[in-house]
mmCIF file of all heavy atoms in Angstrom:
data_model
loop_
_atom_site.group_PDB
_atom_site.id
_atom_site.type_symbol
_atom_site.label_atom_id
_atom_site.label_comp_id
_atom_site.label_asym_id
_atom_site.label_seq_id
_atom_site.Cartn_x
_atom_site.Cartn_y
_atom_site.Cartn_z
ATOM 1 N N PHE A 228 81.781 -81.445 -84.205
ATOM 2 C CA PHE A 228 80.337 -81.570 -83.992
ATOM 3 C C PHE A 228 79.936 -80.925 -82.665
ATOM 4 O O PHE A 228 78.930 -80.204 -82.587
ATOM 5 C CB PHE A 228 79.918 -83.042 -84.010
ATOM 6 C CG PHE A 228 78.426 -83.251 -84.050
ATOM 7 C CD1 PHE A 228 77.769 -83.380 -85.266
ATOM 8 C CD2 PHE A 228 77.676 -83.298 -82.883
ATOM 9 C CE1 PHE A 228 76.395 -83.557 -85.315
ATOM 10 C CE2 PHE A 228 76.305 -83.480 -82.915
ATOM 11 C CZ PHE A 228 75.666 -83.610 -84.145
ATOM 12 N N LEU A 229 80.728 -81.169 -81.628
ATOM 13 C CA LEU A 229 80.427 -80.626 -80.299
ATOM 14 C C LEU A 229 80.475 -79.096 -80.310
ATOM 15 O O LEU A 229 79.586 -78.428 -79.757
ATOM 16 C CB LEU A 229 81.409 -81.172 -79.268
ATOM 17 C CG LEU A 229 81.222 -80.674 -77.820
ATOM 18 C CD1 LEU A 229 79.850 -81.091 -77.301
ATOM 19 C CD2 LEU A 229 82.331 -81.206 -76.924
ATOM 20 N N ILE A 230 81.489 -78.527 -80.963
ATOM 21 C CA ILE A 230 81.608 -77.065 -81.034
ATOM 22 C C ILE A 230 80.434 -76.476 -81.816
ATOM 23 O O ILE A 230 79.814 -75.493 -81.403
ATOM 24 C CB ILE A 230 82.942 -76.652 -81.674
ATOM 25 C CG1 ILE A 230 84.114 -77.060 -80.776
ATOM 26 C CG2 ILE A 230 82.976 -75.141 -81.924
ATOM 27 C CD1 ILE A 230 85.477 -76.850 -81.409
ATOM 28 N N GLY A 231 80.111 -77.099 -82.963
ATOM 29 C CA GLY A 231 78.998 -76.616 -83.782
ATOM 30 C C GLY A 231 77.678 -76.688 -83.039
ATOM 31 O O GLY A 231 76.883 -75.738 -83.069
ATOM 32 N N PHE A 232 77.450 -77.801 -82.340
ATOM 33 C CA PHE A 232 76.210 -77.961 -81.572
ATOM 34 C C PHE A 232 76.111 -76.911 -80.467
ATOM 35 O O PHE A 232 75.065 -76.283 -80.280
ATOM 36 C CB PHE A 232 76.143 -79.366 -80.966
ATOM 37 C CG PHE A 232 74.964 -79.570 -80.053
ATOM 38 C CD1 PHE A 232 73.720 -79.884 -80.568
ATOM 39 C CD2 PHE A 232 75.098 -79.435 -78.672
ATOM 40 C CE1 PHE A 232 72.617 -80.048 -79.731
ATOM 41 C CE2 PHE A 232 74.017 -79.604 -77.824
ATOM 42 C CZ PHE A 232 72.770 -79.908 -78.359
ATOM 43 N N SER A 233 77.203 -76.725 -79.735
ATOM 44 C CA SER A 233 77.207 -75.764 -78.625
ATOM 45 C C SER A 233 76.944 -74.346 -79.117
ATOM 46 O O SER A 233 76.139 -73.610 -78.532
ATOM 47 C CB SER A 233 78.547 -75.816 -77.887
ATOM 48 O OG SER A 233 78.811 -77.108 -77.407
ATOM 49 N N MET A 234 77.627 -73.954 -80.202
ATOM 50 C CA MET A 234 77.438 -72.599 -80.727
ATOM 51 C C MET A 234 76.006 -72.399 -81.217
ATOM 52 O O MET A 234 75.392 -71.352 -80.985
ATOM 53 C CB MET A 234 78.419 -72.328 -81.869
ATOM 54 C CG MET A 234 79.889 -72.312 -81.459
ATOM 55 S SD MET A 234 80.228 -71.258 -80.041
ATOM 56 C CE MET A 234 79.523 -69.721 -80.563
ATOM 57 N N GLY A 235 75.454 -73.403 -81.900
ATOM 58 C CA GLY A 235 74.081 -73.302 -82.398
ATOM 59 C C GLY A 235 73.070 -73.167 -81.276
ATOM 60 O O GLY A 235 72.154 -72.344 -81.342
ATOM 61 N N ALA A 236 73.236 -73.977 -80.227
ATOM 62 C CA ALA A 236 72.306 -73.945 -79.100
ATOM 63 C C ALA A 236 72.397 -72.626 -78.346
ATOM 64 O O ALA A 236 71.374 -72.016 -78.011
ATOM 65 C CB ALA A 236 72.583 -75.124 -78.162
ATOM 66 N N ILE A 237 73.633 -72.168 -78.089
ATOM 67 C CA ILE A 237 73.828 -70.925 -77.323
ATOM 68 C C ILE A 237 73.245 -69.732 -78.075
ATOM 69 O O ILE A 237 72.517 -68.904 -77.507
ATOM 70 C CB ILE A 237 75.327 -70.688 -77.037
ATOM 71 C CG1 ILE A 237 75.832 -71.702 -76.006
ATOM 72 C CG2 ILE A 237 75.574 -69.275 -76.527
ATOM 73 C CD1 ILE A 237 77.333 -71.701 -75.827
ATOM 74 N N ILE A 238 73.550 -69.631 -79.362
ATOM 75 C CA ILE A 238 73.099 -68.473 -80.132
ATOM 76 C C ILE A 238 71.589 -68.486 -80.315
ATOM 77 O O ILE A 238 70.932 -67.439 -80.412
ATOM 78 C CB ILE A 238 73.826 -68.408 -81.503
ATOM 79 C CG1 ILE A 238 73.828 -66.976 -82.056
ATOM 80 C CG2 ILE A 238 73.216 -69.353 -82.506
ATOM 81 C CD1 ILE A 238 74.791 -66.061 -81.374
#
Side-chain angles (χ1 to χ4, degrees):
F228 191 92
L229 179 62
I230 294 173
F232 174 82
S233 302
M234 295 310 306
I237 289 170
I238 203 75

